[in-house]
Amino acid sequence: MRYETPGLTRWNARAYDSSFGYVSSHGAPLLELLDPRPGERVLDLGCGTGVLTGEIAARGAEVLGIDGSQPMIETAIAQHPGLDFIVGDGHDFTVAQPYDAVFSNAALHWMTRDPDAVIACVRMALRPGGRFVAELGGAGNCAALTSAMLTAWREYGLREPELPWYFPSPAEYARRLEQGGFTVRLLEYFDRPTPLDECPNGAADWVRMFAGSLLDGVPPAVVEPLLRRVNELAAPALRRESGWMADYVRLRFAAVRP
């Protein structure tokens, strides 16, 4: 779920699709894990511009996409006519009829206010026996990128930014799921270094897209030199001859409501 409340990233739907399409393209294995079947009711939580929502529908499922960003939902509606999308908050959404599955790709780590409330909403949205299939950033995700950001902010005498993500360890999230009434059937935790092919300015472009709200409190004259410094600090770990990489660590799971 991607929010537009103060302090969180404001999403540019066009840039998200054109420059960061890997967010959706890497969802293919998760879609296979979901294995949506014709006639099933599936809720896509944090659907973004609806790319994977459309893939789920193409398998014959009846699907609803929910996202916290109005621009994302507007783009999803325009690009996928005939599918259902609504703006909603992952912490307190409700549905009129239960679903067979809730699916979420690269969205749960944006729902930082109360992860347990998100899990509770998902459980309430599912029928007994329904499944929760998702992937989010795990502990250590973007460690080099984050370290470069925090160091650059500190060097420029700026207040340390409050990072807008929640990256749990496998044990922590499994515990949350179990305490939230789910049976965990599968949990995978793995590194996934990802080329930033559409980021000519490297880590700086990544910061603008995924942590742009943190620049709001930076004096305008400082933004460009600050981002140049982020690039300098991140380059030893993330810049290759072939281009920039993002140091992603993913947590993928499948759980069932008994």
Side-chain angles (χ1 to χ4, degrees):
M1 197 69 64
R2 303 170 178 92
Y3 300 99
E4 295 184 69
T5 50
L8 295 184
T9 300
R10 294 182 302 276
W11 290 85
N12 180 318
R14 181 177 298 176
Y16 182 82
D17 271 353
S18 63
S19 298
F20 297 89
Y22 60 79
V23 175
S24 296
S25 65
H26 280 290
L30 187 65
L31 188 61
E32 293 307 312
L33 181 60
L34 174 68
D35 189 23
R37 301 181 182 97
E40 281 195 317
R41 288 169 47 81
V42 179
L43 189 150
D44 185 357
L45 181 60
C47 64
T49 58
V51 174
L52 292 176
T53 319
E55 294 288 341
I56 294 169
R59 304 281 188 102
E62 177 185 339
V63 61
L64 170 67
I66 301 180
D67 201 282
S69 167
Q70 181 74 39
M72 289 283 190
I73 290 297
E74 290 173 356
T75 300
I77 291 171
Q79 294 183 351
H80 304 280
L83 298 187
D84 293 326
F85 296 95
I86 60 172
V87 177
D89 186 333
H91 297 87
D92 61 11
F93 73 93
T94 59
V95 295
Q97 299 292 330
Y99 281 77
D100 298 295
V102 172
F103 173 88
S104 185
N105 179 58
L108 294 174
H109 51 247
W110 293 103
M111 304 178 202
T112 60
R113 190 171 76 238
D114 187 350
D116 292 326
V118 175
I119 291 170
C121 286
V122 170
R123 185 181 183 280
M124 291 299 295
L126 287 169
R127 64 167 176 80
R131 58 203 190 277
F132 183 17
V133 177
E135 183 177 306
L136 67 156
N141 190 60
C142 302
L145 282 161
T146 300
S147 177
M149 288 172 52
L150 295 179
T151 299
W153 257 250
R154 186 167 58 249
E155 288 181 356
Y156 274 81
L158 300 167
R159 192 163 119 192
E160 183 171 312
E162 183 177 348
L163 301 177
W165 313 294
Y166 165 63
F167 298 139
S169 70
E172 176 187 350
Y173 208 77
R175 183 173 62 252
R176 288 187 185 276
L177 286 167
E178 289 170 350
Q179 291 176 346
F182 282 93
T183 300
V184 178
R185 293 288 178 82
L186 171 75
L187 193 147
E188 299 174 319
Y189 179 61
F190 54 96
D191 293 329
R192 193 180 68 206
T194 302
L196 295 177
D197 293 333
E198 303 298 330
C199 293
N201 201 27
D205 282 351
W206 186 92
V207 171
R208 287 185 187 279
M209 183 66 193
F210 291 105
S213 63
L214 303 184
L215 298 172
D216 290 347
V218 176
V222 175
V223 170
E224 291 304 324
L226 177 70
L227 291 178
R228 284 197 296 271
R229 184 58 179 150
V230 171
N231 271 356
E232 292 170 359
L233 291 164
L238 301 178
R239 191 168 190 175
R240 311 281 191 272
E241 288 186 7
S242 58
W244 284 86
M245 304 288 291
D247 56 329
Y248 286 166
V249 178
R250 313 314 278 177
L251 186 59
R252 180 185 297 159
F253 66 86
V256 174
R257 174 183 174 175

